[in-house]
Amino acid sequence: RPADPAADGASGFRPARPSGARPSAGEAFRGVNLGGWLVLEDWIWPAEMKQPGAGDEYSLIKKYGGPQDERAQRLIKTHWDTFVQREHLDTLRKFGFTHVRIPIGYWMLESDSQAVAEGFVPGGEEYLRRAIGWLKERGMKAVLDLHAMPGAQAKWAGFTGKRLPQAGFFLNPEDYERGLRAVDALCELVLRYENSSNTSGTVVGIEPLNEPDD
């Protein structure tokens, strides 16, 4: 913006923004999406998903025996553990990235038993929390994206976790209410992160619904 000595003082001094505040005009931040990590997508992880013909996370887990099968749990948890590492964030920071968007599924915001009943492996929040801590150590920020809703918010979309022929989230009142509870749970999760010294000041926003469609 044009210089305004009257606003900034005769010396041109500008007071520093509070830690974690959004950049002012002219100070762009750079963001990148950590897709395919906590919500699997076949076009991001084709080596594992396309060969068995798994078009979504639910189908992949089913092909490995279901969410309580040791093979499925090992596959998913190894992926969570290795797909995003400290050195990856160091590389992003080296290239000037300041923010990351992290897609998550509604099942991560429900109980373990509910996640299993839906056909998903529970436990992803542990890895999300770890990554938020790593981001804080590097002075980076995160936006948490509720990428998948109960019943699917778009038809035949792998990013919903389970490809379905209709967007049941908008058609089934039960799915819709569960989705609203997932948004509430996401807000509560952000508050827990904010109240922890290991993760505070890192999550700067949420995306309550990804790519809805009829």
Side-chain angles (χ1 to χ4, degrees):
R1 60 184 173 85
D4 185 354
D8 292 330
S11 65
F13 171 76
R14 297 180 183 179
R17 295 189 314 275
S19 176
R22 88 178 265 190
S24 61
E27 294 182 60
F29 55 74
R30 296 179 180 175
V32 65
N33 186 50
L34 299 184
W37 177 34
L38 298 176
V39 177
L40 305 185
E41 297 192 53
D42 60 353
W43 67 275
I44 299 177
W45 202 23
E48 189 60 51
M49 298 183 71
K50 293 217 168 183
Q51 185 175 1
D56 52 50
E57 185 167 338
Y58 170 86
S59 300
L60 180 65
I61 291 170
K62 186 176 181 180
K63 286 181 179 293
Y64 278 84
Q68 293 181 299
D69 192 291
E70 183 178 317
R71 295 170 299 167
Q73 293 183 4
R74 182 169 57 250
L75 174 74
I76 298 300
K77 291 182 179 180
T78 298
H79 175 73
W80 289 341
D81 189 43
T82 59
F83 193 79
V84 173
Q85 284 288 305
R86 290 183 179 90
E87 56 266 29
H88 301 143
L89 300 180
D90 289 337
T91 299
L92 291 176
R93 192 175 178 214
K94 177 182 177 182
F95 280 99
F97 288 101
T98 58
H99 291 60
V100 298
R101 174 181 181 256
I102 305 178
I104 62 175
Y106 70 92
W107 55 88
M108 200 186 78
L109 300 164
E110 297 185 326
S111 68
D112 287 358
S113 61
Q114 287 175 308
V116 169
E118 290 288 295
F120 297 100
V121 173
E125 192 275 326
E126 171 188 345
Y127 299 89
L128 173 62
R129 185 172 64 251
R130 182 179 72 175
I132 298 298
W134 290 344
L135 290 166
K136 178 172 181 175
E137 291 171 0
R138 288 154 180 78
M140 299 173 72
K141 306 298 181 183
V143 173
L144 302 186
D145 156 40
L146 192 44
H147 210 66
M149 280 293 197
Q153 74 272 22
K155 59 187 177 183
W156 298 123
F159 64 75
T160 63
K162 185 178 182 180
R163 292 178 187 263
L164 293 171
Q166 59 183 9
F169 171 69
F170 297 108
L171 302 173
N172 185 327
E174 182 180 347
D175 286 334
Y176 186 77
E177 289 300 320
R178 286 180 64 201
L180 294 182
R181 290 196 295 271
V183 174
D184 287 342
L186 177 57
C187 294
E188 292 170 1
L189 180 64
V190 172
L191 287 175
R192 289 202 300 274
Y193 289 159
E194 193 61 26
N195 289 328
S196 169
S197 59
N198 294 326
T199 51
S200 62
T202 305
V203 178
V204 295
I206 65 169
E207 182 181 347
L209 183 63
N210 173 69
E211 297 181 38
D213 191 10
D214 59 3

